Amino acid sequence: MPFGRAANPFAFGLRVPAAVGDVLVATVVVSLAGAVAEQLGFPLRSLLVLRPAAVWSGEVWRLVTWVLVEESPLNLLFGGLVLYWFGRDLVDAWGERRFLATYFAVPAVAAAVACLLALAWPRLEASIFSGFWVALDAL
């Protein structure tokens, strides 16, 4: 087995490491569920995206969850392809633990910086951030 994993359904037949498959599947599921839930009147997507004002009011999970919410189908498609192509090589070079740590830590730090900057610029406080391109660009 090329990546040392047993039969993980998110490894796509062991063509990609399980960590890449898990992130890819989580992003697609959360993005689609958010879009469907919003159409049904439940604001799931708005509970997960980064809003600095909401983080300052105690909703700290947004520092991590915003990277799993992609609002544009084209961004989801092309970002998923980038993750599929390059994630495999990064997991080979870094290992799954370092890949996942980098994938989620860089956007979390960027979100924390955005929240700190929102204290100085009130217009930034009302901004909304989502998408996994911050993580992909960092990788």
Side-chain angles (χ1 to χ4, degrees):
M1 291 185 199
F3 299 105
R5 286 283 193 163
N8 183 329
F10 301 124
F12 300 100
L14 296 176
R15 287 186 213 116
V16 298
V20 174
D22 293 345
V23 168
L24 187 57
V25 168
T27 303
V28 170
V29 167
V30 169
S31 298
L32 291 177
V36 169
E38 200 145 307
Q39 291 293 322
L40 296 173
F42 182 72
L44 177 64
R45 188 182 330 182
S46 65
L47 290 173
L48 299 175
V49 296
L50 176 64
R51 292 184 180 177
V55 172
W56 287 117
S57 68
E59 298 176 3
V60 293
W61 66 83
R62 294 174 183 266
L63 295 171
V64 178
T65 59
W66 70 283
V67 74
L68 295 173
V69 180
E70 185 58 64
E71 297 186 20
S72 165
L74 280 177
N75 282 342
L76 187 60
L77 174 67
F78 289 115
L81 288 172
V82 167
L83 183 62
Y84 179 81
W85 287 326
F86 297 112
R88 175 178 30 197
D89 296 333
L90 289 172
V91 169
D92 280 345
W94 292 349
E96 289 187 345
R97 181 173 288 164
R98 182 175 173 198
F99 172 81
L100 289 172
T102 303
Y103 187 85
F104 286 106
V106 169
V109 170
V113 169
C115 290
L116 289 172
L117 290 173
L119 294 175
W121 289 286
R123 289 182 60 194
L124 185 61
E125 190 175 40
S127 298
I128 298 171
F129 303 95
S130 68
F132 60 166
W133 282 102
V134 170
L136 294 176
D137 288 342
L139 294 176

